[in-house]
Amino acid sequence: MKMNPRCTYCLLSRVHFQSKLSTDDEDLISKTIKECLEVMNRHYDPEAVSASVATKIHRKCYEVLNDNDPYAVTKKLISQAALKVLPVAKEKIYEGSPDNGELFRRAVLASVVANYFDFGIMGFDASEDKFEAAFLKYFEHGLDVDDTPKMLGLLQDVVYIADNCGEILFDVLVFDIIKKLGGKLTLVVRGGPILTDVTLEEIDEFEIDKKVDRILTTGSNAVGVLIEEAPAELLEAMKNATLIISKGMANYETLSEHNFGPIAYMLLTKCECVAEDLGIEQGLSVAKLMNYP
């Protein structure tokens, strides 16, 4: 996905948000915003990939703040909130002994709804106390774009590219169904802390490695999956997968620039620009299969 003019103020809003998470020093916050503005000025281009520019800006932000993980405390809170709602999600998924197709659809829906866990997006309220109510509301509504019936036949060798903390605990519900149906599963997480994204630290903390066949990383702390920074092992896994599942908007922003496939984008369209790029409306629950014959 290419950069949109609206990305500029959204990115700077996020820089301000995470700077305030990191420090109370207003002079340092001002310096951080100023230096990130300079990065924006150097790299903003309508033909640039949005997440690539975002990566440069966030790396500069972390450097000036001298903080390699401004969201460290926030990520712990997100995981706590997710653990509280997880039993509700499991109950909803398995209610009434659904067949495998319906079971998979419900697990995907729960995982997509959990994409709500994203602190710092301008104009988007993901506070903990609102998550259970939001989860139930979105779950009852269902998927607005539902390609799960087509995805169901492609689960033999899945590469699953994760997004946020908290959300990953709901992704495990999808892992369980894929494994139940005999699929092989490679989970991909960030190679270092960026925003609220999952890293190997959270995988170890919640023993998620026991739920999958293999764990790989994106090779860096880039926003999304920057192919030029991705390990050869990851690119090979994606090339050979029967299905790539890409969670969240940042992964969409980077991977939509390439022809990997079949690839299922699972996300909430929280961002107007991402929604437009997908050709759908903002605020929808999406499991969209692309690059599929």
Side-chain angles (χ1 to χ4, degrees):
M1 186 182 106
K2 304 300 185 190
M3 194 127 193
N4 186 288
R6 287 165 289 188
C7 298
T8 56
Y9 49 85
C10 188
L11 268 171
L12 291 171
S13 168
R14 188 117 191 189
V15 166
H16 183 243
F17 178 86
Q18 63 203 23
S19 297
K20 287 177 75 67
L21 287 178
S22 178
T23 182
D24 294 325
D25 184 338
E26 289 295 334
D27 290 336
L28 180 56
I29 291 171
S30 293
K31 181 185 178 190
T32 303
I33 291 171
K34 182 174 182 290
E35 294 205 23
C36 288
L37 267 169
E38 289 170 1
V39 175
M40 178 84 78
N41 285 335
R42 278 201 305 276
H43 296 286
Y44 175 78
D45 188 301
E47 289 304 307
V49 175
S50 53
S52 178
V53 176
T55 295
K56 292 177 174 68
I57 288 170
H58 288 305
R59 284 176 176 168
K60 175 55 71 175
C61 177
Y62 287 21
E63 176 193 323
V64 178
L65 291 170
N66 193 28
D67 186 346
N68 77 334
D69 193 2
Y71 293 88
V73 174
T74 304
K75 289 192 288 187
K76 298 288 185 189
L77 294 172
I78 291 170
S79 294
Q80 288 172 22
L83 286 169
K84 290 176 187 171
V85 182
L86 203 55
V88 176
K90 286 182 180 176
E91 187 179 331
K92 287 286 186 184
I93 290 168
Y94 288 93
E95 193 173 56
S97 303
D99 63 25
N100 287 338
E102 178 62 10
L103 199 59
F104 181 66
R105 186 194 69 79
R106 290 183 190 178
V108 166
L109 172 59
S111 168
V112 168
V113 172
N115 189 230
Y116 190 87
F117 278 123
D118 204 346
F119 288 67
I121 289 183
M122 190 168 60
F124 195 78
D125 183 359
S127 54
E128 290 179 66
D129 59 335
K130 295 186 178 178
F131 179 63
E132 183 169 350
F135 178 87
L136 291 169
K137 174 187 163 190
Y138 277 108
F139 195 91
E140 289 305 318
H141 177 79
L143 290 165
D144 295 289
V145 178
D146 182 4
D147 285 340
T148 56
K150 287 186 272 187
M151 293 165 62
L152 194 63
L154 299 170
L155 301 179
Q156 297 87 354
D157 188 353
V158 177
V159 171
Y160 198 108
I161 305 173
D163 189 25
N164 296 316
C165 292
E167 179 180 348
I168 187 66
L169 299 173
F170 291 76
D171 293 329
V172 169
L173 303 173
V174 182
F175 302 166
D176 289 345
I177 309 302
I178 291 172
K179 297 302 293 178
K180 179 188 175 193
L181 297 175
K184 178 186 165 193
L185 188 56
T186 297
L187 174 62
V188 183
V189 299
R190 300 288 177 250
I194 189 74
L195 306 174
T196 56
D197 292 2
V198 178
T199 66
L200 290 172
E201 182 180 340
E202 291 79 36
I203 297 305
D204 291 342
E205 181 182 354
F206 295 104
E207 300 185 331
I208 294 170
D209 55 306
K210 295 178 180 176
K211 296 287 188 176
V212 301
D213 297 287
R214 178 170 57 159
I215 306 273
L216 298 176
T217 81
T218 57
S220 71
N221 72 334
V223 176
V225 184
L226 290 186
I227 296 304
E228 60 270 27
E229 296 183 2
E233 190 178 15
L234 172 57
L235 298 180
E236 187 70 14
M238 292 171 69
K239 178 183 168 187
N240 294 329
T242 56
L243 177 66
I244 300 166
I245 293 178
S246 165
K247 284 301 299 292
M249 296 191 298
N251 289 329
Y252 171 78
E253 289 175 51
T254 46
L255 294 174
S256 59
E257 289 291 307
H258 304 278
N259 291 314
F260 292 106
I263 184 164
Y265 293 108
M266 290 170 33
L267 51 87
L268 292 178
T269 52
K270 291 168 283 195
C271 164
E272 189 178 20
C273 302
V274 169
E276 286 177 4
D277 201 70
L278 278 162
I280 56 180
E281 295 174 16
Q282 190 175 4
L284 300 187
S285 303
V286 176
K288 186 176 179 65
L289 183 63
M290 300 178 75
N291 299 343
Y292 176 60

